[in-house]
Tab-separated table of all heavy atoms in Angstrom:
chain	number	residue	atom	x	y	z
A	116	MET	N	180.323	220.143	-50.580
A	116	MET	CA	179.182	220.911	-50.075
A	116	MET	C	177.886	220.287	-50.576
A	116	MET	O	177.758	219.937	-51.743
A	116	MET	CB	179.298	222.358	-50.570
A	116	MET	CG	178.270	223.288	-49.951
A	116	MET	SD	178.562	225.005	-50.499
A	116	MET	CE	176.915	225.675	-50.301
A	117	GLU	N	176.924	220.175	-49.706
A	117	GLU	CA	175.650	219.576	-50.097
A	117	GLU	C	174.877	220.517	-51.005
A	117	GLU	O	174.894	221.723	-50.826
A	117	GLU	CB	174.795	219.298	-48.853
A	117	GLU	CG	175.269	218.098	-48.074
A	117	GLU	CD	174.273	217.736	-46.981
A	117	GLU	OE1	173.199	218.349	-46.932
A	117	GLU	OE2	174.590	216.849	-46.187
A	118	ARG	N	174.187	219.911	-51.947
A	118	ARG	CA	173.357	220.725	-52.808
A	118	ARG	C	172.051	221.061	-52.091
A	118	ARG	O	171.474	220.227	-51.404
A	118	ARG	CB	173.064	219.971	-54.111
A	118	ARG	CG	172.377	220.880	-55.100
A	118	ARG	CD	172.270	220.283	-56.467
A	118	ARG	NE	171.555	221.241	-57.320
A	118	ARG	CZ	171.096	220.957	-58.528
A	118	ARG	NH1	171.281	219.763	-59.038
A	118	ARG	NH2	170.470	221.875	-59.225
A	119	ILE	N	171.608	222.281	-52.312
A	119	ILE	CA	170.340	222.718	-51.721
A	119	ILE	C	169.466	223.316	-52.805
A	119	ILE	O	169.929	223.557	-53.922
A	119	ILE	CB	170.560	223.783	-50.624
A	119	ILE	CG1	171.273	225.000	-51.203
A	119	ILE	CG2	171.328	223.188	-49.443
A	119	ILE	CD1	171.186	226.231	-50.319
A	120	PHE	N	168.241	223.581	-52.495
A	120	PHE	CA	167.383	224.387	-53.366
A	120	PHE	C	166.513	225.272	-52.486
A	120	PHE	O	166.335	225.012	-51.309
A	120	PHE	CB	166.549	223.512	-54.312
A	120	PHE	CG	165.494	222.678	-53.629
A	120	PHE	CD1	164.148	223.035	-53.702
A	120	PHE	CD2	165.829	221.534	-52.939
A	120	PHE	CE1	163.168	222.254	-53.091
A	120	PHE	CE2	164.858	220.753	-52.312
A	120	PHE	CZ	163.524	221.116	-52.391
A	121	TRP	N	166.030	226.342	-53.102
A	121	TRP	CA	165.233	227.316	-52.366
A	121	TRP	C	163.773	227.199	-52.749
A	121	TRP	O	163.449	227.001	-53.918
A	121	TRP	CB	165.725	228.733	-52.678
A	121	TRP	CG	167.063	229.035	-52.097
A	121	TRP	CD1	168.277	228.681	-52.628
A	121	TRP	CD2	167.341	229.702	-50.861
A	121	TRP	NE1	169.286	229.112	-51.782
A	121	TRP	CE2	168.743	229.743	-50.711
A	121	TRP	CE3	166.533	230.285	-49.879
A	121	TRP	CZ2	169.354	230.342	-49.609
A	121	TRP	CZ3	167.141	230.880	-48.791
A	121	TRP	CH2	168.541	230.907	-48.661
A	122	VAL	N	162.933	227.330	-51.773
A	122	VAL	CA	161.493	227.331	-52.027
A	122	VAL	C	160.872	228.563	-51.375
A	122	VAL	O	161.476	229.212	-50.522
A	122	VAL	CB	160.817	226.062	-51.460
A	122	VAL	CG1	161.318	224.821	-52.174
A	122	VAL	CG2	161.027	225.940	-49.957
A	123	LYS	N	159.654	228.847	-51.796
A	123	LYS	CA	158.897	229.919	-51.162
A	123	LYS	C	157.632	229.316	-50.593
A	123	LYS	O	156.871	228.654	-51.304
A	123	LYS	CB	158.565	231.012	-52.181
A	123	LYS	CG	157.865	232.217	-51.552
A	123	LYS	CD	157.498	233.255	-52.589
A	123	LYS	CE	158.594	234.278	-52.756
A	123	LYS	NZ	158.131	235.426	-53.590
A	124	CYS	N	157.417	229.536	-49.327
A	124	CYS	CA	156.272	228.967	-48.626
A	124	CYS	C	154.957	229.476	-49.221
A	124	CYS	O	154.772	230.678	-49.378
A	124	CYS	CB	156.367	229.347	-47.152
A	124	CYS	SG	154.932	228.874	-46.189
A	125	PRO	N	154.034	228.570	-49.567
A	125	PRO	CA	152.751	228.997	-50.138
A	125	PRO	C	151.838	229.683	-49.125
A	125	PRO	O	150.864	230.328	-49.499
A	125	PRO	CB	152.123	227.693	-50.647
A	125	PRO	CG	152.764	226.621	-49.838
A	125	PRO	CD	154.151	227.108	-49.508
A	126	LYS	N	152.157	229.564	-47.857
A	126	LYS	CA	151.303	230.180	-46.835
A	126	LYS	C	151.781	231.576	-46.443
A	126	LYS	O	151.019	232.530	-46.505
A	126	LYS	CB	151.242	229.274	-45.603
A	126	LYS	CG	150.275	229.774	-44.540
A	126	LYS	CD	150.166	228.781	-43.401
A	126	LYS	CE	149.248	229.316	-42.299
A	126	LYS	NZ	149.230	228.415	-41.133
A	127	CYS	N	153.078	231.687	-46.067
A	127	CYS	CA	153.555	232.983	-45.572
A	127	CYS	C	154.433	233.708	-46.587
A	127	CYS	O	154.729	234.884	-46.411
A	127	CYS	CB	154.292	232.808	-44.250
A	127	CYS	SG	155.900	232.007	-44.394
A	128	GLY	N	154.872	233.006	-47.648
A	128	GLY	CA	155.636	233.668	-48.699
A	128	GLY	C	157.109	233.858	-48.394
A	128	GLY	O	157.818	234.478	-49.175
A	129	ASP	N	157.590	233.352	-47.279
A	129	ASP	CA	159.010	233.461	-46.964
A	129	ASP	C	159.793	232.381	-47.697
A	129	ASP	O	159.286	231.302	-47.975
A	129	ASP	CB	159.238	233.337	-45.456
A	129	ASP	CG	159.458	234.693	-44.798
A	129	ASP	OD1	160.218	235.505	-45.369
A	129	ASP	OD2	158.859	234.926	-43.731
A	130	ARG	N	161.048	232.719	-47.979
A	130	ARG	CA	161.913	231.772	-48.682
A	130	ARG	C	162.828	231.065	-47.700
A	130	ARG	O	163.304	231.653	-46.744
A	130	ARG	CB	162.778	232.523	-49.705
A	130	ARG	CG	162.049	232.887	-50.964
A	130	ARG	CD	162.795	233.964	-51.741
A	130	ARG	NE	164.202	233.614	-51.944
A	130	ARG	CZ	164.649	232.924	-53.005
A	130	ARG	NH1	163.829	232.554	-53.948
A	130	ARG	NH2	165.912	232.634	-53.121
A	131	PHE	N	163.073	229.794	-47.975
A	131	PHE	CA	164.057	229.054	-47.174
A	131	PHE	C	164.654	227.963	-48.034
A	131	PHE	O	164.124	227.615	-49.090
A	131	PHE	CB	163.437	228.488	-45.895
A	131	PHE	CG	162.301	227.526	-46.113
A	131	PHE	CD1	162.532	226.159	-46.093
A	131	PHE	CD2	161.010	227.992	-46.302
A	131	PHE	CE1	161.479	225.265	-46.281
A	131	PHE	CE2	159.947	227.106	-46.491
A	131	PHE	CZ	160.193	225.736	-46.476
A	132	CYS	N	165.811	227.442	-47.608
A	132	CYS	CA	166.491	226.432	-48.397
A	132	CYS	C	166.312	225.054	-47.778
A	132	CYS	O	166.121	224.911	-46.573
A	132	CYS	CB	167.970	226.769	-48.548
A	132	CYS	SG	168.872	226.835	-47.001
A	133	CYS	N	166.345	224.052	-48.662
A	133	CYS	CA	166.151	222.669	-48.250
A	133	CYS	C	167.243	221.808	-48.865
A	133	CYS	O	167.793	222.138	-49.912
A	133	CYS	CB	164.816	222.152	-48.774
A	133	CYS	SG	163.422	223.090	-48.193
A	134	ASP	N	167.488	220.695	-48.245
A	134	ASP	CA	168.414	219.723	-48.798
A	134	ASP	C	167.863	219.200	-50.124
A	134	ASP	O	166.672	218.935	-50.247
A	134	ASP	CB	168.572	218.565	-47.814
A	134	ASP	CG	169.747	217.686	-48.189
A	134	ASP	OD1	169.675	217.034	-49.251
A	134	ASP	OD2	170.721	217.641	-47.430
A	135	TYR	N	168.751	219.053	-51.097
A	135	TYR	CA	168.276	218.655	-52.427
A	135	TYR	C	167.658	217.259	-52.450
A	135	TYR	O	166.938	216.911	-53.374
A	135	TYR	CB	169.415	218.751	-53.454
A	135	TYR	CG	168.886	218.907	-54.849
A	135	TYR	CD1	168.445	220.150	-55.297
A	135	TYR	CD2	168.797	217.818	-55.704
A	135	TYR	CE1	167.913	220.308	-56.556
A	135	TYR	CE2	168.273	217.960	-56.984
A	135	TYR	CZ	167.830	219.207	-57.399
A	135	TYR	OH	167.304	219.346	-58.657
A	136	GLU	N	167.946	216.460	-51.455
A	136	GLU	CA	167.325	215.126	-51.381
A	136	GLU	C	165.805	215.219	-51.281
A	136	GLU	O	165.096	214.266	-51.592
A	136	GLU	CB	167.861	214.359	-50.168
A	136	GLU	CG	169.291	213.906	-50.360
A	136	GLU	CD	169.777	213.091	-49.174
A	136	GLU	OE1	168.951	212.722	-48.331
A	136	GLU	OE2	170.987	212.837	-49.115
A	137	LEU	N	165.302	216.379	-50.845
A	137	LEU	CA	163.856	216.554	-50.708
A	137	LEU	C	163.196	216.995	-52.016
A	137	LEU	O	161.977	217.021	-52.115
A	137	LEU	CB	163.552	217.580	-49.609
A	137	LEU	CG	163.953	217.125	-48.197
A	137	LEU	CD1	163.825	218.272	-47.225
A	137	LEU	CD2	163.102	215.948	-47.761
A	138	ARG	N	164.019	217.348	-53.008
A	138	ARG	CA	163.480	217.771	-54.295
A	138	ARG	C	162.931	216.541	-55.017
A	138	ARG	O	163.562	215.490	-55.052
A	138	ARG	CB	164.594	218.422	-55.121
A	138	ARG	CG	164.140	218.954	-56.447
A	138	ARG	CD	163.427	220.277	-56.283
A	138	ARG	NE	163.178	220.866	-57.596
A	138	ARG	CZ	161.960	220.887	-58.164
A	138	ARG	NH1	160.921	220.400	-57.556
A	138	ARG	NH2	161.817	221.433	-59.345
A	139	HIS	N	161.756	216.681	-55.606
A	139	HIS	CA	161.100	215.606	-56.347
A	139	HIS	C	160.806	214.396	-55.460
A	139	HIS	O	160.677	213.285	-55.953
A	139	HIS	CB	161.932	215.153	-57.553
A	139	HIS	CG	162.299	216.274	-58.470
A	139	HIS	ND1	161.366	217.042	-59.125
A	139	HIS	CD2	163.506	216.776	-58.823
A	139	HIS	CE1	161.982	217.948	-59.855
A	139	HIS	NE2	163.276	217.815	-59.681
A	140	SER	N	160.738	214.608	-54.179
A	140	SER	CA	160.385	213.502	-53.294
A	140	SER	C	158.952	213.703	-52.830
A	140	SER	O	158.340	214.736	-53.064
A	140	SER	CB	161.325	213.454	-52.094
A	140	SER	OG	160.953	214.437	-51.159
A	141	LYS	N	158.426	212.694	-52.175
A	141	LYS	CA	157.059	212.790	-51.664
A	141	LYS	C	157.049	213.306	-50.220
A	141	LYS	O	156.023	213.328	-49.574
A	141	LYS	CB	156.379	211.415	-51.718
A	141	LYS	CG	156.171	210.917	-53.141
A	141	LYS	CD	155.026	211.663	-53.809
A	141	LYS	CE	154.728	211.090	-55.188
A	141	LYS	NZ	155.503	211.787	-56.225
A	142	LEU	N	158.244	213.690	-49.761
A	142	LEU	CA	158.325	214.208	-48.398
A	142	LEU	C	157.941	215.679	-48.376
A	142	LEU	O	158.297	216.429	-49.277
A	142	LEU	CB	159.755	214.050	-47.865
A	142	LEU	CG	160.223	212.603	-47.701
A	142	LEU	CD1	161.699	212.574	-47.331
A	142	LEU	CD2	159.406	211.910	-46.625
A	143	LYS	N	157.230	216.066	-47.349
A	143	LYS	CA	156.825	217.457	-47.247
A	143	LYS	C	157.930	218.302	-46.634
A	143	LYS	O	158.664	217.862	-45.750
A	143	LYS	CB	155.557	217.574	-46.398
A	143	LYS	CG	154.326	217.087	-47.131
A	143	LYS	CD	153.072	217.322	-46.320
A	143	LYS	CE	151.842	216.947	-47.139
A	143	LYS	NZ	150.611	217.097	-46.342
A	144	LEU	N	158.018	219.532	-47.147
A	144	LEU	CA	158.930	220.516	-46.583
A	144	LEU	C	158.199	221.230	-45.456
A	144	LEU	O	156.987	221.371	-45.490
A	144	LEU	CB	159.316	221.529	-47.664
A	144	LEU	CG	159.745	220.926	-48.993
A	144	LEU	CD1	159.952	222.025	-50.005
A	144	LEU	CD2	160.982	220.090	-48.828
A	145	ILE	N	158.944	221.681	-44.478
A	145	ILE	CA	158.324	222.408	-43.369
A	145	ILE	C	158.894	223.815	-43.315
A	145	ILE	O	160.105	224.004	-43.169
A	145	ILE	CB	158.572	221.682	-42.029
A	145	ILE	CG1	157.992	220.268	-42.093
A	145	ILE	CG2	157.938	222.482	-40.890
A	145	ILE	CD1	158.316	219.434	-40.855
A	146	CYS	N	158.023	224.790	-43.454
A	146	CYS	CA	158.444	226.187	-43.377
A	146	CYS	C	158.934	226.502	-41.962
A	146	CYS	O	158.206	226.257	-40.997
A	146	CYS	CB	157.274	227.089	-43.743
A	146	CYS	SG	157.641	228.836	-43.528
A	147	PRO	N	160.150	227.050	-41.833
A	147	PRO	CA	160.667	227.371	-40.490
A	147	PRO	C	160.003	228.602	-39.881
A	147	PRO	O	160.171	228.874	-38.700
A	147	PRO	CB	162.160	227.612	-40.740
A	147	PRO	CG	162.224	228.086	-42.145
A	147	PRO	CD	161.126	227.344	-42.881
A	148	PHE	N	159.248	229.331	-40.689
A	148	PHE	CA	158.642	230.579	-40.201
A	148	PHE	C	157.219	230.356	-39.686
A	148	PHE	O	156.867	230.829	-38.605
A	148	PHE	CB	158.646	231.621	-41.318
A	148	PHE	CG	160.017	231.831	-41.895
A	148	PHE	CD1	160.362	231.292	-43.126
A	148	PHE	CD2	160.975	232.536	-41.177
A	148	PHE	CE1	161.639	231.466	-43.648
A	148	PHE	CE2	162.252	232.718	-41.691
A	148	PHE	CZ	162.583	232.185	-42.923
A	149	CYS	N	156.404	229.623	-40.465
A	149	CYS	CA	155.005	229.440	-40.044
A	149	CYS	C	154.662	227.970	-39.827
A	149	CYS	O	153.531	227.642	-39.490
A	149	CYS	CB	154.062	230.056	-41.071
A	149	CYS	SG	153.992	229.150	-42.628
A	150	LEU	N	155.636	227.082	-40.053
A	150	LEU	CA	155.491	225.636	-39.834
A	150	LEU	C	154.498	224.973	-40.785
A	150	LEU	O	154.054	223.848	-40.549
A	150	LEU	CB	155.117	225.330	-38.373
A	150	LEU	CG	156.101	225.889	-37.326
A	150	LEU	CD1	155.659	225.508	-35.934
A	150	LEU	CD2	157.509	225.413	-37.601
A	151	GLU	N	154.167	225.660	-41.875
A	151	GLU	CA	153.339	225.046	-42.909
A	151	GLU	C	154.092	223.871	-43.536
A	151	GLU	O	155.304	223.933	-43.729
A	151	GLU	CB	153.025	226.105	-43.993
A	151	GLU	CG	152.280	225.585	-45.193
A	151	GLU	CD	150.800	225.370	-44.925
A	151	GLU	OE1	150.383	225.456	-43.759
A	151	GLU	OE2	150.072	225.108	-45.901
A	152	GLN	N	153.372	222.789	-43.831
A	152	GLN	CA	153.982	221.644	-44.506
A	152	GLN	C	153.450	221.583	-45.932
A	152	GLN	O	152.242	221.674	-46.158
A	152	GLN	CB	153.630	220.358	-43.764
A	152	GLN	CG	154.206	220.337	-42.351
A	152	GLN	CD	153.963	219.012	-41.659
A	152	GLN	OE1	153.895	217.969	-42.300
A	152	GLN	NE2	153.820	219.061	-40.344
A	153	PHE	N	154.357	221.440	-46.895
A	153	PHE	CA	153.943	221.401	-48.293
A	153	PHE	C	154.982	220.668	-49.124
A	153	PHE	O	156.143	220.539	-48.738
A	153	PHE	CB	153.733	222.825	-48.836
A	153	PHE	CG	154.950	223.715	-48.747
A	153	PHE	CD1	155.762	223.896	-49.861
A	153	PHE	CD2	155.286	224.357	-47.565
A	153	PHE	CE1	156.895	224.712	-49.797
A	153	PHE	CE2	156.423	225.165	-47.481
A	153	PHE	CZ	157.225	225.342	-48.601
A	154	LEU	N	154.538	220.191	-50.283
A	154	LEU	CA	155.453	219.517	-51.212
A	154	LEU	C	156.201	220.550	-52.043
A	154	LEU	O	155.711	221.662	-52.256
A	154	LEU	CB	154.658	218.593	-52.139
A	154	LEU	CG	153.973	217.421	-51.456
A	154	LEU	CD1	153.063	216.703	-52.445
A	154	LEU	CD2	154.996	216.462	-50.861
A	155	ASP	N	157.356	220.164	-52.533
A	155	ASP	CA	158.153	221.111	-53.333
A	155	ASP	C	157.369	221.646	-54.535
A	155	ASP	O	157.494	222.811	-54.882
A	155	ASP	CB	159.490	220.489	-53.761
A	155	ASP	CG	159.326	219.276	-54.647
A	155	ASP	OD1	158.219	218.723	-54.706
A	155	ASP	OD2	160.321	218.876	-55.277
A	156	VAL	N	156.522	220.795	-55.126
A	156	VAL	CA	155.763	221.245	-56.302
A	156	VAL	C	154.709	222.294	-55.948
A	156	VAL	O	154.184	222.972	-56.834
A	156	VAL	CB	155.087	220.058	-57.025
A	156	VAL	CG1	156.142	219.171	-57.670
A	156	VAL	CG2	154.229	219.246	-56.075
A	157	ASP	N	154.385	222.423	-54.683
A	157	ASP	CA	153.406	223.420	-54.251
A	157	ASP	C	154.052	224.747	-53.858
A	157	ASP	O	153.370	225.696	-53.491
A	157	ASP	CB	152.591	222.888	-53.069
A	157	ASP	CG	151.739	221.699	-53.467
A	157	ASP	OD1	151.236	221.686	-54.607
A	157	ASP	OD2	151.577	220.784	-52.642
A	158	SER	N	155.368	224.796	-53.937
A	158	SER	CA	156.078	226.032	-53.620
A	158	SER	C	155.731	227.116	-54.640
A	158	SER	O	155.542	226.834	-55.825
A	158	SER	CB	157.581	225.774	-53.649
A	158	SER	OG	158.294	226.993	-53.544
A	159	LEU	N	155.674	228.357	-54.199
A	159	LEU	CA	155.388	229.473	-55.101
A	159	LEU	C	156.539	229.702	-56.065
A	159	LEU	O	156.354	230.170	-57.179
A	159	LEU	CB	155.116	230.745	-54.297
A	159	LEU	CG	153.894	230.686	-53.358
A	159	LEU	CD1	153.810	231.992	-52.565
A	159	LEU	CD2	152.616	230.440	-54.123
A	160	GLU	N	157.743	229.420	-55.620
A	160	GLU	CA	158.932	229.569	-56.453
A	160	GLU	C	159.885	228.447	-56.084
A	160	GLU	O	159.953	228.040	-54.931
A	160	GLU	CB	159.686	230.871	-56.136
A	160	GLU	CG	159.085	232.127	-56.703
A	160	GLU	CD	159.902	233.343	-56.269
A	160	GLU	OE1	161.099	233.187	-55.984
A	160	GLU	OE2	159.326	234.432	-56.205
A	161	ILE	N	160.628	227.974	-57.067
A	161	ILE	CA	161.690	227.004	-56.785
A	161	ILE	C	162.956	227.508	-57.468
A	161	ILE	O	162.956	227.803	-58.656
A	161	ILE	CB	161.318	225.593	-57.283
A	161	ILE	CG1	160.119	225.076	-56.481
A	161	ILE	CG2	162.505	224.652	-57.127
A	161	ILE	CD1	159.647	223.691	-56.909
A	162	ASP	N	164.004	227.633	-56.702
A	162	ASP	CA	165.289	228.096	-57.226
A	162	ASP	C	166.312	226.994	-57.001
A	162	ASP	O	166.645	226.665	-55.871
A	162	ASP	CB	165.684	229.374	-56.489
A	162	ASP	CG	166.947	229.993	-57.082
A	162	ASP	OD1	167.667	229.290	-57.836
A	162	ASP	OD2	167.212	231.162	-56.793
A	163	GLU	N	166.774	226.436	-58.114
A	163	GLU	CA	167.706	225.304	-58.021
A	163	GLU	C	169.123	225.701	-58.412
A	163	GLU	O	169.918	224.850	-58.780
A	163	GLU	CB	167.240	224.170	-58.944
A	163	GLU	CG	165.890	223.627	-58.561
A	163	GLU	CD	165.570	222.358	-59.336
A	163	GLU	OE1	166.310	221.387	-59.215
A	163	GLU	OE2	164.583	222.365	-60.086
A	164	ARG	N	169.435	226.970	-58.350
A	164	ARG	CA	170.783	227.389	-58.748
A	164	ARG	C	171.829	226.712	-57.857
A	164	ARG	O	171.573	226.420	-56.684
A	164	ARG	CB	170.916	228.911	-58.625
A	164	ARG	CG	170.938	229.351	-57.157
A	164	ARG	CD	170.898	230.833	-56.989
A	164	ARG	NE	170.260	231.149	-55.707
A	164	ARG	CZ	169.850	232.359	-55.370
A	164	ARG	NH1	169.953	233.342	-56.217
A	164	ARG	NH2	169.282	232.570	-54.210
A	165	LEU	N	172.986	226.521	-58.440
A	165	LEU	CA	174.057	225.903	-57.680
A	165	LEU	C	174.795	226.949	-56.855
A	165	LEU	O	174.782	228.110	-57.160
A	165	LEU	CB	175.053	225.234	-58.641
A	165	LEU	CG	174.472	224.043	-59.384
A	165	LEU	CD1	175.480	223.565	-60.416
A	165	LEU	CD2	174.128	222.925	-58.417
B	273	ZN	ZN1	155.627	229.724	-44.151
């Protein structure tokens, strides 16, 4: 099973999960709810539980 992590969108506050390959990368995450693009470090919360 692929590892994922959860982020919280800084714009709309909704949570969604991303592939762990995007963690600590310079690639922006895209919120599926409001389409905001942001880096993982800009997330309001990061949950890396397995
Ligand atoms: Zn959003």
Side-chain angles (χ1 to χ4, degrees):
M116 188 176 155
E117 285 189 6
R118 188 170 178 191
I119 59 164
F120 68 105
W121 290 81
V122 295
K123 184 182 269 190
C124 174
K126 185 175 177 185
C127 71
D129 259 316
R130 282 163 51 90
F131 60 97
C132 62
C133 301
D134 193 293
Y135 203 79
E136 288 183 11
L137 294 171
R138 183 78 171 106
H139 306 299
S140 78
K141 294 285 185 269
L142 295 173
K143 287 185 174 177
L144 312 174
I145 301 174
C146 175
F148 306 104
C149 70
L150 304 181
E151 175 77 351
Q152 296 185 30
F153 58 98
L154 295 172
D155 62 344
V156 292
D157 295 324
S158 171
L159 298 176
E160 283 178 26
I161 294 179
D162 186 344
E163 298 190 60
R164 71 187 152 193
L165 293 173

